[in-house]
Amino acid sequence: MSARNPRRPGLATMVGIVWRTRRRGILVWVIALAASMIGTAASIAGLYDTPAKIHGYAEAVTAGSALAAINGHVEGIDSLGGVIQDEFGFLASFLLPLLGIALVAGSTRREEETGRLETVLAGRIARHQPVLAALAVATAAILATSVLFAAGLALAGVPVAAAILYSAALGALAFAFAGVAALLAQLVLHGRGVYAGSLIVLAVAYALRGVGDTTAAGWLTWLSPLGWVEKAAPFADRRWWVLLLPVGTGLVAGGAALWRSARRDLGSALLRGGLGPGHATRLRRQPIGFAAWIHAPATLGWLAGGVLLTGMMGALARQLLGALAGNPGLAAAMGMSGARPLHGFVAGTQLYLAVIGTGYLIQAIGTLRAEEAGGRLETRLAGTLSRIRWLAAHAVVVAAGLAVIVVGSSLVLASTTAWSVGDTDEFGAIVRSGLAYLPAELVLGGVALALFGLWPRGVGLGWAAYAVATFIAFLGPGLKLAQWVLDLAPTTHVGNPPLGTAEPGGLAVLSLVAVALLLLGFVAFRRRDVPRT
Amino acid sequence: MSVSSAPVIDIRNLTKSFGKVRALDGLDLSVRPGEVHGFLGPNGAGKSTTIRILLGLIRAGGGHVELFGADPWRRAATLHGRLAYVAGDVALWPGLTGGQCIDVLGATHGAVNQARRRALIERFDLDPTKRIRDYSKGNRQKVALVAALAAEADLLVLDEPTSGLDPLMEQAFQRCVRERRDDGATVLLSSHLLDEVEALADRVSIVRHGRTVTTGSLAELRRHTRTSVHAVTVAAPDGLAGAEGVADWASTSRDGQVDVRFTVDAEHLDAVVGRLHAARIHTLTVTPPSLDALFLRNYADPVDAREPGETPAGATR
């Protein structure tokens, strides 16, 4: 915190501005996150309603190290809270840091980048106050999420002290990343860079925690913010002091951000691009080449995510299979039972990869809307490029990007698995199972594209559909949701290959739906006004 | 270049509504080949909406629109091969350099004259290796202008093209537009800056609240306005105060000289100057009627009852 009195009138005004301009997004984040966490906790409490069932789950999950790599090592897993922490481990590792990152990135560097901050700072607002206000609002939102979650856990039957500590640990995790994002916002030039940098920090944290939890180098876990949630051990020893680590990290990073913001020039950044070529290459003058340039950063980012995930999973394949061989209960708990445990493992990984591929599609189509909202689509269509060719060029590039992500990650999964288990028999089956998910991914991409054609302001709803489909795909079977609910997620109709057989009928229907949505998007886009507000 | 005199742009009774807001309410616009046509009106008059319809970006609500004799909504991409456009609010890709942007924009125009591209970059004093995000607003505007002016286009559609340019660059812009006109290009210049239109336009159309208020050549429009005269003479001009066509008379005597100011209509100017000459002119300033005068005359009218309640300003965004 800076030495100045933070209670100057400017800060209250600035907090008001941040809240007024961002409240809808903040409320959606808080409510969606709290609701999904509370819903998961309640469902788990319903499923594991006897000590025997909880004990069975704990036995199964602790049998191998592969699951610990994904969900984390849970102390006190032989309790309702422990089961909840384990089940929620993977999603919480990403959602809570993202909460902190999104809340801060959107109200710091993005505002500066668009020039809105300049207008604000021309008023009675000190240079450091926008950062302080962004952090204050983010902290309040994180606290609200934690309180809601703690209440939900307590209602589900988790002891109150443990519920509070677990929620506080998750909130502190989000706060640490809010601080990191605030600091990055002072160093890079664009809101996009804040996200990219924060996600790299998150990926490193995840890898450190994964390696620390599964190897002899257990101290590595202590280096990871994600590890601190585990080390607080809310359902075992309850080490409250561990919360000091994430809170301290958030305060130090946030303080450094405040210090930087009070001293640096507006619009400046430590890391920025230099001069570039004075001419565009022949490729970039073509619609396809230009679309490829626009989508390249997102494609590379999601590809990196897919390769990281599949590489890690593949490398752990042997350990996981060893655990499965000695423990049918674990296989059942992971939904990986069946004649070929390796197939179950690959099927589980491919589902994660499908979520990555779908996320890429939704983001890419959101980029098209951003081009329109930014006025650049108008510039683009004022030339000889027709609407259909413009959209087709983007569709081709995005589809190719999806293929690169899915095929590339599947190849990594196949190679690392072959290396880990020592044979290449399943190489083809692993890659084919990745391809089988393409129609399901394209259905959600089609939803986003149809929205872009029909109701461009609603393109953001594509993310809502994505969140629902992801939730159902991951947690639906475990929570024993009704079949019609499960059927809402496109991935349900793929047939869970290679554990199950890819269903040609299901894939055909998914493909038809995807094509229909795609056509709808094209036709609607051809007929509508540009720009449409 | 087309030698026929069929209009390049032919808009009659054009309407467009955004929800309840009527942005265009029977607008007419006719642009002849080879002319610079000033498209004048205050903010929110419907200029940008008209241009977007002309480019086939949004669909006309009603009325008749022809660009090069064809329907711009149906044949947008084909027609765009013959025009170049500079948007009022220039939006470019922040990650590209200025030069890359010029080429990307140029690739969507019919053809780019590379020699002219080089010359324009020099004349506009633009560094094409800088990123768009590092440019000032004026420099971003220059990027769009260079791309449009370098294109081998029959028609230039310029929507408030000089916003953000300094006076020197405005001069450079005006020279470039005249050169393109001399090459035979047609120019539609939308603006709310009167001196800019006055410096460039052969004919103007003035719009307000989505309707064309008046249209014609500058000479035609000026015929109905008055010339201001300011003279210092040695003797008092004889019988000028009550002469035919003279109004707004004001006269003072100072240091043995007579200082007179008045306005006169165009047909009596010759006679008036004769009388001034007889009184022995010391200094003489004659200011032709400015577009300001025209503009103010057309906008000073009270808003009539048929006007839409809401100004369509929000609708053009």
Side-chain angles (χ1 to χ4, degrees), chain A residues 190 272 276-280 371 374 378 381 383-384 387 529-530, chain B residues 16 52 57 59 80-81 91 93 97 99-100 103 108 117 129 133-134:
Chain A
H190 295 284
R272 62 186 306 153
H279 281 273
E371 286 289 292
E378 196 182 335
L381 294 183
T384 48
R387 290 167 183 232
D529 289 351
V530 172
Chain B
K16 175 75 183 181
R52 282 179 181 150
L57 290 167
R59 201 199 284 253
H80 292 174
W93 295 268
T97 64
Q100 285 176 315
D103 289 345
T108 72
R117 178 191 188 276
T129 61
R133 68 169 73 99
D134 296 329

PDB file of all heavy atoms in Angstrom, chain A residues 190 272 276-280 371 374 378 381 383-384 387 529-530, chain B residues 16 52 57 59 80-81 91 93 97 99-100 103 108 117 129 133-134:
ATOM      1  N   HIS A 190      -0.974  -4.583 -23.162  1.00  0.00           N
ATOM      2  CA  HIS A 190      -2.349  -4.874 -23.549  1.00  0.00           C
ATOM      3  C   HIS A 190      -3.057  -5.772 -22.548  1.00  0.00           C
ATOM      4  O   HIS A 190      -2.418  -6.598 -21.893  1.00  0.00           O
ATOM      5  CB  HIS A 190      -2.398  -5.566 -24.906  1.00  0.00           C
ATOM      6  CG  HIS A 190      -1.914  -4.686 -25.990  1.00  0.00           C
ATOM      7  ND1 HIS A 190      -2.674  -3.673 -26.497  1.00  0.00           N
ATOM      8  CD2 HIS A 190      -0.732  -4.623 -26.614  1.00  0.00           C
ATOM      9  CE1 HIS A 190      -1.986  -3.030 -27.404  1.00  0.00           C
ATOM     10  NE2 HIS A 190      -0.796  -3.583 -27.492  1.00  0.00           N
ATOM     11  N   ARG A 272       7.195  -4.000 -24.624  1.00  0.00           N
ATOM     12  CA  ARG A 272       6.386  -3.542 -25.740  1.00  0.00           C
ATOM     13  C   ARG A 272       7.091  -3.834 -27.041  1.00  0.00           C
ATOM     14  O   ARG A 272       8.305  -3.973 -27.103  1.00  0.00           O
ATOM     15  CB  ARG A 272       6.097  -2.052 -25.618  1.00  0.00           C
ATOM     16  CG  ARG A 272       7.333  -1.177 -25.642  1.00  0.00           C
ATOM     17  CD  ARG A 272       6.976   0.252 -25.368  1.00  0.00           C
ATOM     18  NE  ARG A 272       5.957   0.700 -26.279  1.00  0.00           N
ATOM     19  CZ  ARG A 272       5.095   1.679 -25.994  1.00  0.00           C
ATOM     20  NH1 ARG A 272       5.105   2.231 -24.825  1.00  0.00           N
ATOM     21  NH2 ARG A 272       4.226   2.078 -26.884  1.00  0.00           N
ATOM     22  N   GLY A 276       8.144  -2.203 -36.981  1.00  0.00           N
ATOM     23  CA  GLY A 276       7.883  -3.403 -37.780  1.00  0.00           C
ATOM     24  C   GLY A 276       8.093  -3.109 -39.243  1.00  0.00           C
ATOM     25  O   GLY A 276       8.570  -2.034 -39.604  1.00  0.00           O
ATOM     26  N   PRO A 277       7.748  -4.070 -40.089  1.00  0.00           N
ATOM     27  CA  PRO A 277       7.952  -3.892 -41.524  1.00  0.00           C
ATOM     28  C   PRO A 277       7.040  -2.801 -42.081  1.00  0.00           C
ATOM     29  O   PRO A 277       5.938  -2.584 -41.593  1.00  0.00           O
ATOM     30  CB  PRO A 277       7.583  -5.257 -42.113  1.00  0.00           C
ATOM     31  CG  PRO A 277       6.718  -5.892 -41.089  1.00  0.00           C
ATOM     32  CD  PRO A 277       7.152  -5.354 -39.764  1.00  0.00           C
ATOM     33  N   GLY A 278       7.514  -2.117 -43.104  1.00  0.00           N
ATOM     34  CA  GLY A 278       6.745  -1.054 -43.724  1.00  0.00           C
ATOM     35  C   GLY A 278       5.768  -1.539 -44.779  1.00  0.00           C
ATOM     36  O   GLY A 278       5.005  -0.752 -45.319  1.00  0.00           O
ATOM     37  N   HIS A 279       5.823  -2.833 -45.059  1.00  0.00           N
ATOM     38  CA  HIS A 279       4.901  -3.397 -46.053  1.00  0.00           C
ATOM     39  C   HIS A 279       4.266  -4.663 -45.502  1.00  0.00           C
ATOM     40  O   HIS A 279       4.853  -5.363 -44.680  1.00  0.00           O
ATOM     41  CB  HIS A 279       5.641  -3.765 -47.345  1.00  0.00           C
ATOM     42  CG  HIS A 279       5.921  -2.579 -48.209  1.00  0.00           C
ATOM     43  ND1 HIS A 279       5.027  -2.103 -49.126  1.00  0.00           N
ATOM     44  CD2 HIS A 279       6.991  -1.751 -48.266  1.00  0.00           C
ATOM     45  CE1 HIS A 279       5.530  -1.035 -49.734  1.00  0.00           C
ATOM     46  NE2 HIS A 279       6.735  -0.798 -49.227  1.00  0.00           N
ATOM     47  N   ALA A 280       3.054  -4.973 -45.982  1.00  0.00           N
ATOM     48  CA  ALA A 280       2.431  -6.243 -45.633  1.00  0.00           C
ATOM     49  C   ALA A 280       2.873  -7.292 -46.637  1.00  0.00           C
ATOM     50  O   ALA A 280       3.033  -7.002 -47.826  1.00  0.00           O
ATOM     51  CB  ALA A 280       0.913  -6.102 -45.666  1.00  0.00           C
ATOM     52  N   GLU A 371     -14.012  -7.574 -33.852  1.00  0.00           N
ATOM     53  CA  GLU A 371     -13.654  -6.858 -35.073  1.00  0.00           C
ATOM     54  C   GLU A 371     -14.787  -5.940 -35.489  1.00  0.00           C
ATOM     55  O   GLU A 371     -14.583  -4.811 -35.920  1.00  0.00           O
ATOM     56  CB  GLU A 371     -13.350  -7.842 -36.209  1.00  0.00           C
ATOM     57  CG  GLU A 371     -12.025  -8.570 -36.078  1.00  0.00           C
ATOM     58  CD  GLU A 371     -10.852  -7.640 -36.331  1.00  0.00           C
ATOM     59  OE1 GLU A 371     -10.660  -7.177 -37.467  1.00  0.00           O
ATOM     60  OE2 GLU A 371     -10.138  -7.361 -35.360  1.00  0.00           O
ATOM     61  N   GLY A 374     -15.307  -3.070 -32.903  1.00  0.00           N
ATOM     62  CA  GLY A 374     -14.217  -2.102 -32.973  1.00  0.00           C
ATOM     63  C   GLY A 374     -14.241  -1.264 -34.251  1.00  0.00           C
ATOM     64  O   GLY A 374     -13.388  -0.425 -34.445  1.00  0.00           O
ATOM     65  N   GLU A 378     -16.153  -3.013 -40.658  1.00  0.00           N
ATOM     66  CA  GLU A 378     -16.672  -2.062 -41.623  1.00  0.00           C
ATOM     67  C   GLU A 378     -15.583  -1.678 -42.630  1.00  0.00           C
ATOM     68  O   GLU A 378     -15.809  -1.659 -43.829  1.00  0.00           O
ATOM     69  CB  GLU A 378     -17.137  -0.838 -40.832  1.00  0.00           C
ATOM     70  CG  GLU A 378     -18.038   0.082 -41.582  1.00  0.00           C
ATOM     71  CD  GLU A 378     -18.401   1.278 -40.713  1.00  0.00           C
ATOM     72  OE1 GLU A 378     -18.356   1.158 -39.469  1.00  0.00           O
ATOM     73  OE2 GLU A 378     -18.711   2.316 -41.289  1.00  0.00           O
ATOM     74  N   LEU A 381     -14.958  -4.576 -45.004  1.00  0.00           N
ATOM     75  CA  LEU A 381     -15.992  -4.870 -45.994  1.00  0.00           C
ATOM     76  C   LEU A 381     -16.205  -3.711 -46.963  1.00  0.00           C
ATOM     77  O   LEU A 381     -17.014  -3.813 -47.874  1.00  0.00           O
ATOM     78  CB  LEU A 381     -17.315  -5.194 -45.305  1.00  0.00           C
ATOM     79  CG  LEU A 381     -17.309  -6.478 -44.473  1.00  0.00           C
ATOM     80  CD1 LEU A 381     -18.683  -6.735 -43.894  1.00  0.00           C
ATOM     81  CD2 LEU A 381     -16.854  -7.659 -45.306  1.00  0.00           C
ATOM     82  N   GLY A 383     -14.125  -2.790 -49.044  1.00  0.00           N
ATOM     83  CA  GLY A 383     -13.378  -3.093 -50.255  1.00  0.00           C
ATOM     84  C   GLY A 383     -14.062  -4.172 -51.074  1.00  0.00           C
ATOM     85  O   GLY A 383     -15.269  -4.415 -50.933  1.00  0.00           O
ATOM     86  N   THR A 384     -13.273  -4.848 -51.893  1.00  0.00           N
ATOM     87  CA  THR A 384     -13.840  -5.839 -52.800  1.00  0.00           C
ATOM     88  C   THR A 384     -14.124  -7.170 -52.117  1.00  0.00           C
ATOM     89  O   THR A 384     -14.615  -8.091 -52.750  1.00  0.00           O
ATOM     90  CB  THR A 384     -12.875  -6.119 -53.961  1.00  0.00           C
ATOM     91  OG1 THR A 384     -11.581  -6.331 -53.398  1.00  0.00           O
ATOM     92  CG2 THR A 384     -12.811  -4.948 -54.894  1.00  0.00           C
ATOM     93  N   ARG A 387     -18.923 -10.159 -47.914  1.00  0.00           N
ATOM     94  CA  ARG A 387     -19.165 -10.665 -46.563  1.00  0.00           C
ATOM     95  C   ARG A 387     -18.930 -12.155 -46.463  1.00  0.00           C
ATOM     96  O   ARG A 387     -18.344 -12.652 -45.509  1.00  0.00           O
ATOM     97  CB  ARG A 387     -20.620 -10.436 -46.181  1.00  0.00           C
ATOM     98  CG  ARG A 387     -20.956  -9.032 -45.978  1.00  0.00           C
ATOM     99  CD  ARG A 387     -22.449  -8.926 -45.936  1.00  0.00           C
ATOM    100  NE  ARG A 387     -22.768  -7.526 -45.813  1.00  0.00           N
ATOM    101  CZ  ARG A 387     -23.569  -7.021 -44.896  1.00  0.00           C
ATOM    102  NH1 ARG A 387     -24.182  -7.826 -44.070  1.00  0.00           N
ATOM    103  NH2 ARG A 387     -23.781  -5.744 -44.825  1.00  0.00           N
ATOM    104  N   ASP A 529     -27.326  -5.890 -41.051  1.00  0.00           N
ATOM    105  CA  ASP A 529     -26.555  -4.662 -41.139  1.00  0.00           C
ATOM    106  C   ASP A 529     -25.195  -4.847 -40.465  1.00  0.00           C
ATOM    107  O   ASP A 529     -25.074  -5.591 -39.500  1.00  0.00           O
ATOM    108  CB  ASP A 529     -27.290  -3.523 -40.415  1.00  0.00           C
ATOM    109  CG  ASP A 529     -28.545  -3.068 -41.159  1.00  0.00           C
ATOM    110  OD1 ASP A 529     -28.723  -3.515 -42.307  1.00  0.00           O
ATOM    111  OD2 ASP A 529     -29.323  -2.292 -40.593  1.00  0.00           O
ATOM    112  N   VAL A 530     -24.191  -4.154 -41.016  1.00  0.00           N
ATOM    113  CA  VAL A 530     -22.865  -4.124 -40.387  1.00  0.00           C
ATOM    114  C   VAL A 530     -22.460  -2.668 -40.246  1.00  0.00           C
ATOM    115  O   VAL A 530     -22.469  -1.941 -41.246  1.00  0.00           O
ATOM    116  CB  VAL A 530     -21.829  -4.862 -41.254  1.00  0.00           C
ATOM    117  CG1 VAL A 530     -20.442  -4.646 -40.685  1.00  0.00           C
ATOM    118  CG2 VAL A 530     -22.143  -6.332 -41.355  1.00  0.00           C
TER     119      VAL A 530
ATOM    120  N   LYS B  16     -34.295   5.142 -43.552  1.00  0.00           N
ATOM    121  CA  LYS B  16     -33.739   4.058 -42.733  1.00  0.00           C
ATOM    122  C   LYS B  16     -34.085   4.338 -41.273  1.00  0.00           C
ATOM    123  O   LYS B  16     -33.898   5.455 -40.787  1.00  0.00           O
ATOM    124  CB  LYS B  16     -32.212   4.005 -42.883  1.00  0.00           C
ATOM    125  CG  LYS B  16     -31.519   2.989 -41.988  1.00  0.00           C
ATOM    126  CD  LYS B  16     -31.697   1.559 -42.468  1.00  0.00           C
ATOM    127  CE  LYS B  16     -31.063   0.557 -41.525  1.00  0.00           C
ATOM    128  NZ  LYS B  16     -31.218  -0.834 -42.008  1.00  0.00           N
ATOM    129  N   ARG B  52     -22.969   4.301 -45.239  1.00  0.00           N
ATOM    130  CA  ARG B  52     -22.984   2.853 -45.001  1.00  0.00           C
ATOM    131  C   ARG B  52     -23.979   2.141 -45.918  1.00  0.00           C
ATOM    132  O   ARG B  52     -23.731   1.015 -46.361  1.00  0.00           O
ATOM    133  CB  ARG B  52     -23.331   2.570 -43.539  1.00  0.00           C
ATOM    134  CG  ARG B  52     -22.134   2.798 -42.635  1.00  0.00           C
ATOM    135  CD  ARG B  52     -22.483   2.537 -41.201  1.00  0.00           C
ATOM    136  NE  ARG B  52     -21.319   2.796 -40.360  1.00  0.00           N
ATOM    137  CZ  ARG B  52     -21.393   3.211 -39.102  1.00  0.00           C
ATOM    138  NH1 ARG B  52     -22.578   3.401 -38.533  1.00  0.00           N
ATOM    139  NH2 ARG B  52     -20.305   3.404 -38.401  1.00  0.00           N
ATOM    140  N   LEU B  57     -23.233  -1.831 -46.517  1.00  0.00           N
ATOM    141  CA  LEU B  57     -22.988  -2.383 -45.186  1.00  0.00           C
ATOM    142  C   LEU B  57     -24.292  -2.515 -44.428  1.00  0.00           C
ATOM    143  O   LEU B  57     -24.484  -3.460 -43.663  1.00  0.00           O
ATOM    144  CB  LEU B  57     -22.025  -1.477 -44.408  1.00  0.00           C
ATOM    145  CG  LEU B  57     -20.597  -1.467 -44.917  1.00  0.00           C
ATOM    146  CD1 LEU B  57     -19.816  -0.318 -44.309  1.00  0.00           C
ATOM    147  CD2 LEU B  57     -19.921  -2.791 -44.602  1.00  0.00           C
ATOM    148  N   ARG B  59     -28.690  -2.063 -44.929  1.00  0.00           N
ATOM    149  CA  ARG B  59     -29.683  -2.159 -45.981  1.00  0.00           C
ATOM    150  C   ARG B  59     -30.610  -0.942 -45.921  1.00  0.00           C
ATOM    151  O   ARG B  59     -30.998  -0.519 -44.836  1.00  0.00           O
ATOM    152  CB  ARG B  59     -30.497  -3.432 -45.742  1.00  0.00           C
ATOM    153  CG  ARG B  59     -31.214  -3.949 -46.959  1.00  0.00           C
ATOM    154  CD  ARG B  59     -32.312  -4.874 -46.541  1.00  0.00           C
ATOM    155  NE  ARG B  59     -31.850  -6.190 -46.128  1.00  0.00           N
ATOM    156  CZ  ARG B  59     -32.030  -7.283 -46.873  1.00  0.00           C
ATOM    157  NH1 ARG B  59     -32.627  -7.210 -48.032  1.00  0.00           N
ATOM    158  NH2 ARG B  59     -31.634  -8.444 -46.424  1.00  0.00           N
ATOM    159  N   HIS B  80     -17.315  -2.257 -54.941  1.00  0.00           N
ATOM    160  CA  HIS B  80     -16.224  -1.722 -54.131  1.00  0.00           C
ATOM    161  C   HIS B  80     -14.887  -1.747 -54.856  1.00  0.00           C
ATOM    162  O   HIS B  80     -13.946  -1.090 -54.432  1.00  0.00           O
ATOM    163  CB  HIS B  80     -16.111  -2.500 -52.815  1.00  0.00           C
ATOM    164  CG  HIS B  80     -17.274  -2.279 -51.901  1.00  0.00           C
ATOM    165  ND1 HIS B  80     -17.447  -2.965 -50.733  1.00  0.00           N
ATOM    166  CD2 HIS B  80     -18.323  -1.440 -51.996  1.00  0.00           C
ATOM    167  CE1 HIS B  80     -18.570  -2.565 -50.160  1.00  0.00           C
ATOM    168  NE2 HIS B  80     -19.114  -1.645 -50.910  1.00  0.00           N
ATOM    169  N   GLY B  81     -14.806  -2.537 -55.932  1.00  0.00           N
ATOM    170  CA  GLY B  81     -13.592  -2.550 -56.733  1.00  0.00           C
ATOM    171  C   GLY B  81     -13.321  -1.195 -57.363  1.00  0.00           C
ATOM    172  O   GLY B  81     -12.205  -0.900 -57.777  1.00  0.00           O
ATOM    173  N   ALA B  91     -10.893   2.884 -37.667  1.00  0.00           N
ATOM    174  CA  ALA B  91     -10.568   1.759 -36.786  1.00  0.00           C
ATOM    175  C   ALA B  91      -9.620   0.830 -37.525  1.00  0.00           C
ATOM    176  O   ALA B  91      -9.944   0.338 -38.597  1.00  0.00           O
ATOM    177  CB  ALA B  91     -11.840   1.019 -36.396  1.00  0.00           C
ATOM    178  N   TRP B  93      -6.082  -2.132 -37.066  1.00  0.00           N
ATOM    179  CA  TRP B  93      -5.600  -3.225 -36.223  1.00  0.00           C
ATOM    180  C   TRP B  93      -4.379  -2.755 -35.449  1.00  0.00           C
ATOM    181  O   TRP B  93      -3.323  -2.484 -36.048  1.00  0.00           O
ATOM    182  CB  TRP B  93      -5.273  -4.425 -37.100  1.00  0.00           C
ATOM    183  CG  TRP B  93      -6.505  -4.950 -37.747  1.00  0.00           C
ATOM    184  CD1 TRP B  93      -7.332  -5.946 -37.274  1.00  0.00           C
ATOM    185  CD2 TRP B  93      -7.098  -4.509 -38.973  1.00  0.00           C
ATOM    186  NE1 TRP B  93      -8.396  -6.113 -38.126  1.00  0.00           N
ATOM    187  CE2 TRP B  93      -8.283  -5.248 -39.164  1.00  0.00           C
ATOM    188  CE3 TRP B  93      -6.774  -3.528 -39.903  1.00  0.00           C
ATOM    189  CZ2 TRP B  93      -9.123  -5.072 -40.261  1.00  0.00           C
ATOM    190  CZ3 TRP B  93      -7.603  -3.333 -40.985  1.00  0.00           C
ATOM    191  CH2 TRP B  93      -8.757  -4.105 -41.156  1.00  0.00           C
ATOM    192  N   THR B  97       1.706  -2.597 -38.426  1.00  0.00           N
ATOM    193  CA  THR B  97       2.360  -1.320 -38.658  1.00  0.00           C
ATOM    194  C   THR B  97       1.516  -0.514 -39.640  1.00  0.00           C
ATOM    195  O   THR B  97       0.628  -1.056 -40.314  1.00  0.00           O
ATOM    196  CB  THR B  97       3.758  -1.500 -39.255  1.00  0.00           C
ATOM    197  OG1 THR B  97       3.628  -2.111 -40.536  1.00  0.00           O
ATOM    198  CG2 THR B  97       4.634  -2.370 -38.375  1.00  0.00           C
ATOM    199  N   GLY B  99       2.385   0.743 -42.484  1.00  0.00           N
ATOM    200  CA  GLY B  99       2.587   0.257 -43.846  1.00  0.00           C
ATOM    201  C   GLY B  99       1.807  -1.020 -44.109  1.00  0.00           C
ATOM    202  O   GLY B  99       1.206  -1.193 -45.177  1.00  0.00           O
ATOM    203  N   GLN B 100       1.797  -1.918 -43.122  1.00  0.00           N
ATOM    204  CA  GLN B 100       1.035  -3.161 -43.300  1.00  0.00           C
ATOM    205  C   GLN B 100      -0.449  -2.856 -43.452  1.00  0.00           C
ATOM    206  O   GLN B 100      -1.142  -3.458 -44.269  1.00  0.00           O
ATOM    207  CB  GLN B 100       1.269  -4.084 -42.102  1.00  0.00           C
ATOM    208  CG  GLN B 100       2.635  -4.743 -42.113  1.00  0.00           C
ATOM    209  CD  GLN B 100       2.868  -5.582 -40.865  1.00  0.00           C
ATOM    210  OE1 GLN B 100       2.568  -5.148 -39.755  1.00  0.00           O
ATOM    211  NE2 GLN B 100       3.372  -6.778 -41.046  1.00  0.00           N
ATOM    212  N   ASP B 103      -1.288  -1.653 -46.873  1.00  0.00           N
ATOM    213  CA  ASP B 103      -1.312  -2.738 -47.857  1.00  0.00           C
ATOM    214  C   ASP B 103      -2.535  -3.633 -47.686  1.00  0.00           C
ATOM    215  O   ASP B 103      -3.116  -4.098 -48.668  1.00  0.00           O
ATOM    216  CB  ASP B 103      -0.033  -3.572 -47.743  1.00  0.00           C
ATOM    217  CG  ASP B 103       1.168  -2.798 -48.257  1.00  0.00           C
ATOM    218  OD1 ASP B 103       0.950  -1.783 -48.944  1.00  0.00           O
ATOM    219  OD2 ASP B 103       2.300  -3.200 -47.971  1.00  0.00           O
ATOM    220  N   THR B 108      -7.869  -4.747 -50.481  1.00  0.00           N
ATOM    221  CA  THR B 108      -9.313  -4.872 -50.662  1.00  0.00           C
ATOM    222  C   THR B 108      -9.844  -3.806 -51.627  1.00  0.00           C
ATOM    223  O   THR B 108     -11.001  -3.830 -51.973  1.00  0.00           O
ATOM    224  CB  THR B 108     -10.064  -4.744 -49.327  1.00  0.00           C
ATOM    225  OG1 THR B 108     -10.021  -3.383 -48.910  1.00  0.00           O
ATOM    226  CG2 THR B 108      -9.469  -5.635 -48.269  1.00  0.00           C
ATOM    227  N   ARG B 117       1.565   5.499 -53.563  1.00  0.00           N
ATOM    228  CA  ARG B 117       1.645   5.108 -52.154  1.00  0.00           C
ATOM    229  C   ARG B 117       2.900   5.704 -51.531  1.00  0.00           C
ATOM    230  O   ARG B 117       2.843   6.308 -50.459  1.00  0.00           O
ATOM    231  CB  ARG B 117       1.672   3.578 -52.059  1.00  0.00           C
ATOM    232  CG  ARG B 117       1.813   3.017 -50.645  1.00  0.00           C
ATOM    233  CD  ARG B 117       2.104   1.516 -50.728  1.00  0.00           C
ATOM    234  NE  ARG B 117       2.080   0.840 -49.435  1.00  0.00           N
ATOM    235  CZ  ARG B 117       3.112   0.791 -48.596  1.00  0.00           C
ATOM    236  NH1 ARG B 117       4.239   1.444 -48.876  1.00  0.00           N
ATOM    237  NH2 ARG B 117       3.020   0.122 -47.464  1.00  0.00           N
ATOM    238  N   THR B 129       6.652   2.197 -40.447  1.00  0.00           N
ATOM    239  CA  THR B 129       7.123   1.046 -39.667  1.00  0.00           C
ATOM    240  C   THR B 129       6.610   1.086 -38.230  1.00  0.00           C
ATOM    241  O   THR B 129       6.862   0.164 -37.462  1.00  0.00           O
ATOM    242  CB  THR B 129       8.663   0.994 -39.638  1.00  0.00           C
ATOM    243  OG1 THR B 129       9.143   2.182 -39.014  1.00  0.00           O
ATOM    244  CG2 THR B 129       9.244   0.892 -41.034  1.00  0.00           C
ATOM    245  N   ARG B 133      -0.963   1.091 -32.838  1.00  0.00           N
ATOM    246  CA  ARG B 133      -1.251   1.459 -31.454  1.00  0.00           C
ATOM    247  C   ARG B 133      -0.336   2.585 -30.969  1.00  0.00           C
ATOM    248  O   ARG B 133      -0.668   3.267 -30.022  1.00  0.00           O
ATOM    249  CB  ARG B 133      -1.109   0.236 -30.548  1.00  0.00           C
ATOM    250  CG  ARG B 133       0.300  -0.261 -30.397  1.00  0.00           C
ATOM    251  CD  ARG B 133       0.397  -1.290 -29.287  1.00  0.00           C
ATOM    252  NE  ARG B 133      -0.190  -2.565 -29.655  1.00  0.00           N
ATOM    253  CZ  ARG B 133       0.505  -3.616 -30.086  1.00  0.00           C
ATOM    254  NH1 ARG B 133       1.816  -3.541 -30.210  1.00  0.00           N
ATOM    255  NH2 ARG B 133      -0.099  -4.752 -30.372  1.00  0.00           N
ATOM    256  N   ASP B 134       0.810   2.759 -31.634  1.00  0.00           N
ATOM    257  CA  ASP B 134       1.732   3.811 -31.216  1.00  0.00           C
ATOM    258  C   ASP B 134       1.502   5.126 -31.960  1.00  0.00           C
ATOM    259  O   ASP B 134       2.159   6.113 -31.674  1.00  0.00           O
ATOM    260  CB  ASP B 134       3.185   3.355 -31.425  1.00  0.00           C
ATOM    261  CG  ASP B 134       3.526   2.159 -30.545  1.00  0.00           C
ATOM    262  OD1 ASP B 134       2.942   2.069 -29.452  1.00  0.00           O
ATOM    263  OD2 ASP B 134       4.337   1.320 -30.949  1.00  0.00           O
TER     264      ASP B 134
END
